[in-house]
Amino acid sequence: MQIIVLPTGRSAALATAQFVARLLRAQPASVLGLPTGRTMIPVYQTLVALHRRGRADFAKATTFNLDEFVGASPRDEGSYRAFMRRYLFEAVNVSRHRTHFPGEQGSPSTYDDMISTAGGLDLCLVGIGTNGHLGFNEPAAKLTTRTHRVRLMPATRRANAYLFDGRLRDVPRLAHSMGIATILNARTVVLLAIGASKASIVRRAIGGPVSTRVPASLIQTHPNALVVLDRAAAGELARHSAKRDRGTRR
Ligand code: GLP
């Protein structure tokens, strides 16, 4: 696992977007696992800017989002498809037919089959919930490996209320999520965390033991994982596990 700590959220988002754009240039038909969340907004805005400058071409790319609310129609403004449309899809040249969300097709396991048929994920970009969830894989004694339906924890519903104009009662209780193995089977996993509100969970996920109680800690087991942090999110990591301020790659 490599950890990069950059001085600001902006520089961390920029580095993450450049990582994705570089992959698209090297491998235009890349299969990308994509997350939602406020952390990703500057990443997607940067990718849009890179696309406009001819530095990120999505024409041949295929995307599989990590998660989606159960019962959310694509036209629903709170849905993750609407989020992706708003921040990325409508501003780049990705084909609508090559963008996928769990739950849009029959049984959840179909999603894993579709990912396999597409050749597997080249890159899975992930954020981290303040309770350590990855996608919507909530902390538990046992994690589900493949794409599945999940009951959201109260803290997760609260964290997603911003998509529903702050109305907690409108946030769905159920969601579909890629499983932990679906995510970790990606050839590369990039985790981005920004801000002091993530410092404690970053310490537990990156600096603590691997545990299903902190699903994001399983990224430590991935052979090709990159963790991108800003200084605030890295604030509770021990000095020996992350060199601050200098963007040092370890
Ligand atoms: C949601 C998503 C996660 C994401 C998390 C973090 O719960 N399902 O995939 O990692 O939000 O969100 P934020 O970036 O807003 O902190």
Side-chain angles (χ1 to χ4, degrees):
M1 181 176 64
Q2 295 183 314
I3 303 174
I4 302 178
V5 183
L6 291 161
T8 63
R10 198 174 173 72
S11 49
L14 179 69
T16 305
Q18 280 169 338
F19 189 94
V20 178
R22 257 199 311 276
L23 176 66
L24 286 170
R25 289 198 293 277
Q27 216 178 301
S30 289
V31 181
L32 307 174
L34 296 178
T36 52
R38 282 168 284 201
T39 307
M40 296 301 152
I41 294 173
V43 176
Y44 294 149
Q45 286 169 336
T46 306
L47 276 172
V48 169
L50 288 168
H51 172 70
R52 289 188 178 138
R53 299 210 309 265
R55 306 291 292 156
D57 184 3
F58 289 80
K60 295 186 178 152
T62 300
T63 69
F64 289 91
N65 262 76
L66 267 80
D67 41 20
E68 179 59 288
F69 297 112
V70 168
S73 95
R75 281 179 301 282
D76 194 336
E77 279 309 298
S79 71
Y80 280 175
R81 186 176 268 287
F83 177 105
M84 292 305 296
R85 201 169 48 226
R86 195 179 313 134
Y87 292 110
L88 185 68
F89 294 164
E90 71 184 6
V92 299
N93 59 340
V94 69
S95 159
R96 165 76 169 77
H97 304 292
R98 280 208 285 267
T99 62
H100 308 90
F101 288 75
E104 284 186 348
Q105 60 298 299
S107 81
S109 60
T110 313
Y111 203 57
D112 290 87
D113 295 341
M114 288 167 72
I115 292 172
S116 298
T117 304
L121 299 176
D122 293 301
L123 166 68
C124 194
L125 178 60
V126 296
I128 180 171
T130 48
N131 66 0
H133 72 223
L134 214 53
F136 271 140
N137 292 283
E138 300 279 38
K142 234 178 128 189
L143 297 176
T144 307
T145 53
R146 299 292 166 182
T147 303
H148 59 291
R149 186 187 273 235
V150 63
R151 179 165 292 280
L152 300 177
M153 289 184 155
T156 300
R157 290 184 63 238
R158 280 196 297 277
N160 280 273
Y162 74 99
L163 292 167
F164 298 85
D165 291 329
R167 290 186 307 272
L168 183 58
R169 65 176 180 281
D170 290 350
V171 182
R173 290 172 192 280
L174 298 173
H176 296 287
S177 179
M178 279 186 190
I180 203 77
T182 318
I183 295 169
L184 294 177
N185 278 342
R187 287 181 265 283
T188 301
V189 177
V190 175
L191 183 148
L192 172 66
I194 290 173
S197 66
K198 297 288 171 74
S200 152
I201 195 62
V202 164
R203 172 178 48 78
R204 292 177 61 209
I206 308 306
V210 174
S211 163
T212 60
R213 297 288 175 193
V214 184
S217 68
L218 273 93
I219 196 175
Q220 295 180 41
T221 67
H222 193 280
N224 194 22
L226 174 66
V227 177
V228 184
L229 306 171
D230 72 341
R231 193 185 302 161
E236 291 188 24
L237 282 181
R239 277 182 185 279
H240 64 264
S241 65
K243 276 195 181 156
R244 301 184 187 193
D245 305 349
R246 280 180 277 157
T248 308
R249 188 175 268 232
R250 306 215 105 204

